[in-house]
DNA sequence: CGGACTTTGTCCATAGGCTGGACAAAGAAC
DNA sequence: GTTCTTTGTCCAGCCTATGGACAAAGTCCG
């Protein structure tokens, strides 16, 4: 178990870095803004802000962009972040496809690349990762801030993938390897948690302090942003809710237990249930999650039943999360969100049924959409935090 | 919902305070220790440590206590915390009794006082609080570090009790009132969460970074210590697991729902179940939790069944906590712990049955004992953290 | 149009606090 | 007794926040 080590001492350099990140964050969140306004918002003196902005200009991260309207005195000089001052390469190592993108500081995708996995695993899969990074770095780009990788499975803070079942990776120090090979800062993180962090960071200036994002697709995983920080847990497994047991006497799960959330509420599970129900009733078997969504939207009772059952199961998980953590913003994203309102209503109903009324009243379960790029954006967000100190605590 | 405000700027004073708390913590955890050793452990220069220790001596918090053994050079001067340099008054506002104590910096109880509630609520209950504090402050004591209050119910970070059912308090700004009346720093916190923080802080030097303490008595509540900090949640309700729904078709709960954890696993619930079971079977009805524990220990199948059922229900809650948070140290404390091993085994079994094998293997469910003073110690720990900066992050 | 007032951004002297080297005191090893 | 280590303090230097002063550039009002 991780023990509390002695925290690092505080130095002047850290103080400076902290204040620099305050300025950066003001610039990032509040668009073109004057030095004086930054000083008011952050509490820093105009002197310090001036120096820090000068540093950012030196680094090519910020520039003056004209004057703003006067409020009774000298008109302010507006300073703006240069969105394309840095680029990043981030990857989403999906079930069947590896996706990569070149992003700017705003998380805007400049270029993409994909590779089909075609059953590749182990070293072959690692080769694909290099391949994608090389392809994206071959084109024109600004200085690279770092490389970000989102992957299923458990990843420690050093960037070592403890295990990722479908890629047959165990204890793969991917982070260190990529960092050494490309000589660039590298972040490797679990995909769901990366997605959660993206949802948090790109929320804009009034991001909540706490947020839980649940990604429902082939698997189910959540990321917990607590006090503005992605929470790891002791074994870097925080948010791995796919194997919470929902129906103790339910279907077997590949994890060895019965009735895990994934056996009930994941996209494959929903398809399976729809298949059996349709076969039993002798009606047409839906071939995709979209087909089920369409049928449910059209009022097909069978489809609605399947959708609602899946939603309720997820609602139980939501209830246990909100009950335990009292986090009031839950964002659900991933391919399952095409199921739309009937599904969300079931999630909300069940969550409400299982938590204190006062708590449930203030908890919002938000539809985050398919969020296909959430993982790509997530490791981007992690790089922004780690390399630029875009978010800070204290 | 709480939004991320702009974090405070960093100043030299903060840097100093941070480093001061590192020194204090070394002193607190590692007993009599030399300045040089502190410097090595914290990474601070001997110069800084010397200054900071001098400040602590100035404040009467530390003193030199002789020389240590030489390791080949000048023998180190050992410095020690003065355990009784400050005292605190802390209170545990229980169901039927208010308990208070005067504690020193080590959480050692110097004097106690209690008052029976006898149905007092509202202002009468507040009067009792004053009464207890006055009684303890009347005797001899060192300078008072602060006042700490642990209470059931939801308490915000300002020390306002949002609601506490049994005392019929709503939105009572107890913290501010006491602080103003006694002109002393005051901490008010939920009792279970205070207890959790005590369990964390008084664990000693190798306290884990994450810990969950679950208090099972008349009610059930948990406290979450995540990354060394008590986690609040958006509405200061983190850890309020007593009303997680375990049996959707179970017994009605006073909260308005059915089958909450408290209707199954709390001490009153266990007594109730034992009562009905015994009445049904026509055997002697156990009058106390201790009697049930004794019967179970003696092999009474009826009692064992009740104990195990309660344990399993708690195990479900543990599973959902560990599954979601991946926190590997769970401490269970409170009056229900007299149920002993049969109960703990049921908790562990059920938790194991419902979480990933790899996770369950490393998770320990520890018997924290009745921990009658945990709430008193908990607000003491909170005061130590808040007023002396005994624990810090970064 | 001109003077009074505001706001902005920079400059400068000051001070807080960390850094690292120097040094004496105190002990061990030979 | 000499040399080497370790400890604790002192001191000069540096980084960085602070707050006042000031010029530039506006608005507002007569």
């Amino acid at each position: 178990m991780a023990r509390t080590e002695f925290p690092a001492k505080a130095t002047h350099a850290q103080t400076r870095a902290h204040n620099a990140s305050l300025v950066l964050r003001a610039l990032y969140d509040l668009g073109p803004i004057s030095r004086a306004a930054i000083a008011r918002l952050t509490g820093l003196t105009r002197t310090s802000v001036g120096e820090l902005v000068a540093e950012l200009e030196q680094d090519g991260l910020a520039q003056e962009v004209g004057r703003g309207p006067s409020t009774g005195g000298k008109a302010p000089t507006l300073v703006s972040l240069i969105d394309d001052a840095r680029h990043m390469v981030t990857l989403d190592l999906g079930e069947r496809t590896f996706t990569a993108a070149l992003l700017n500081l705003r998380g805007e995708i400049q270029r993409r690349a994909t590779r089909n996995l075609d059953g590749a695993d182990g070293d072959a899969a690692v080769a694909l990762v290099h391949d994608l990074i090389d392809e994206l770095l071959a084109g024109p780009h600004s200085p690279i801030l770092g490389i970000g990788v989102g992957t299923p499975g458990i990843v420690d803070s050093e960037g070592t993938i403890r295990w990722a079942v479908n890629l047959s990776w165990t204890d793969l120090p991917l982070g260190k390897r990529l960092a050494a090979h490309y000589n660039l800062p590298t972040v490797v993180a679990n995909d769901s948690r990366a997605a959660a962090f993206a949802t948090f960071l790109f929320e804009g200036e009034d991001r909540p302090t706490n947020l839980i994002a649940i990604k429902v697709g082939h698997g189910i995983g959540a990321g917990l942003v607590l006090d503005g920080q992605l929470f790891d847990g002791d074994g870097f497994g925080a948010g791995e809710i796919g194997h919470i047991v929902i129906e103790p006497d339910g279907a077997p799960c590949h994890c060895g237990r019965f009735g895990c959330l994934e056996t009930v509420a994941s996209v494959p599970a929903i398809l399976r249930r729809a298949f059996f129900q349709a076969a039993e009733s002798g009606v047409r078997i839906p071939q995709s999650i979209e087909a089920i969504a369409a049928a449910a939207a059209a009022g097909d009772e069978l489809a609605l039943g399947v959708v609602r059952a899946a939603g309720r199961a997820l609602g139980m998980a939501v209830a246990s999360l909100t009950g335990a953590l009292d986090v009031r913003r839950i964002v659900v994203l991933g391919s399952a969100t095409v199921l739309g309102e009937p599904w969300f209503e079931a999630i909300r109903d069940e969550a409400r049924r299982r938590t204190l009324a006062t708590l449930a009243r203030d908890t919002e379960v938000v539809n985050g959409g398919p969020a296909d790029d959430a993982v790509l954006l997530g490791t981007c967000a992690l790089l922004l935090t780690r390399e630029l100190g875009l978010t800070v605590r204290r």
Side-chain angles (χ1 to χ4, degrees), chain A:
Chain A
M1 185 185 322
R3 301 283 172 177
T4 50
E5 288 148 43
F6 248 101
K9 65 177 169 181
T11 64
H12 285 164
Q14 277 177 36
T15 305
R16 187 68 157 183
H18 177 92
N19 288 341
S21 82
L22 290 184
V23 171
L24 185 67
R25 185 171 145 188
L27 232 37
Y28 195 94
D29 285 345
L30 305 170
I33 185 174
S34 72
R35 292 170 176 83
I38 296 176
R40 275 192 300 271
L41 284 165
T42 58
L44 296 167
T45 59
R46 287 189 317 233
T47 310
S48 299
V49 174
E51 286 172 22
L52 290 165
V53 167
E55 265 176 46
L56 289 174
E57 288 180 304
Q58 196 72 33
D59 294 341
L61 285 165
Q63 65 185 357
E64 298 190 348
V65 291
R67 317 291 296 266
S70 160
T71 59
K74 172 173 168 179
T77 317
L78 297 183
V79 180
S80 173
L81 185 79
I82 302 175
D83 294 350
D84 286 297
R86 299 284 188 280
H87 283 150
M88 290 156 259
V89 177
T90 69
L91 292 90
D92 177 0
L93 311 186
E95 287 290 327
R96 279 181 297 274
T97 312
F98 283 5
T99 312
L102 186 77
L103 306 158
N104 72 3
L105 293 175
R106 292 280 175 203
E108 292 160 349
I109 293 178
Q110 314 291 304
R111 259 198 317 279
R112 294 173 169 280
T114 56
R115 293 284 187 281
N116 284 319
L117 208 44
D118 292 331
D121 63 358
D123 289 342
V126 174
L128 281 183
V129 169
H130 276 87
D131 209 26
L132 281 165
I133 298 173
D134 291 335
E135 176 176 338
L136 286 171
L137 289 181
H141 56 75
S142 301
I144 299 293
L145 190 66
I147 298 172
V149 181
T151 172
I154 305 261
V155 185
D156 71 18
S157 60
E158 308 282 295
T160 297
I161 299 171
R162 294 281 176 84
W163 51 261
V165 181
N166 67 316
L167 300 167
S168 49
W169 284 342
T170 48
D171 291 326
L172 174 73
L174 187 64
K176 268 185 190 156
R177 277 206 215 165
L178 293 178
H181 185 265
Y182 293 99
N183 196 26
L184 284 171
T186 302
V187 166
V188 184
N190 170 274
D191 52 1
S192 299
R193 302 173 62 210
F197 198 61
T199 310
F200 166 73
L201 193 87
F202 293 116
E203 183 95 354
E205 79 220 70
D206 53 15
R207 47 186 81 94
T209 45
N210 302 305
L211 175 149
I212 295 176
I214 306 177
K215 189 160 167 280
V216 186
H218 191 273
I220 300 178
L224 316 178
V225 179
L226 308 178
D227 288 335
Q229 292 235 310
L230 203 48
F231 179 67
D232 280 333
D234 284 320
F236 305 96
E240 292 287 312
I241 59 172
H243 300 276
I244 285 183
V245 176
I246 297 289
E247 300 175 340
D249 309 312
C253 179
H254 64 265
C255 76
R257 231 165 290 82
F258 294 85
C260 295
L261 184 56
E262 284 195 359
T263 68
V264 187
S266 68
V267 168
I270 293 170
L271 281 170
R272 204 180 313 123
R273 293 218 168 179
F275 174 91
F276 283 121
Q277 295 235 351
E280 242 172 53
S281 319
V283 299
R284 218 171 109 250
I285 293 169
Q287 296 298 324
S288 69
I289 192 81
E290 286 81 8
I292 296 173
D300 177 331
E301 280 302 326
L302 229 54
L304 262 176
V306 170
V307 167
R308 287 201 184 117
R312 281 197 302 274
L314 197 60
M316 292 173 64
V318 169
S320 76
L321 283 172
T322 54
L325 290 170
D326 187 22
V327 167
R328 311 224 166 153
R329 166 162 283 228
I330 314 285
V331 179
V332 180
L333 42 81
S335 52
T337 56
V338 298
L339 294 173
E341 273 314 298
W343 187 61
F344 274 97
E345 271 317 309
I347 298 173
R348 294 191 190 104
D349 278 350
E350 189 66 25
R352 217 172 290 139
R353 228 163 59 82
R354 287 173 175 270
T355 45
L356 279 170
T358 51
L359 205 156
R361 199 187 48 221
D362 298 328
T363 302
E364 38 175 358
V365 177
V366 178
N367 182 348
D372 293 322
D373 294 332
V375 177
L376 293 173
L377 289 173
T379 54
C380 165
L382 288 168
L383 281 170
L384 289 172
T385 293
R386 222 154 86 171
E387 298 308 317
L388 292 184
L390 189 52
T391 64
V392 282
R393 52 184 175 181
R394 192 189 333 210

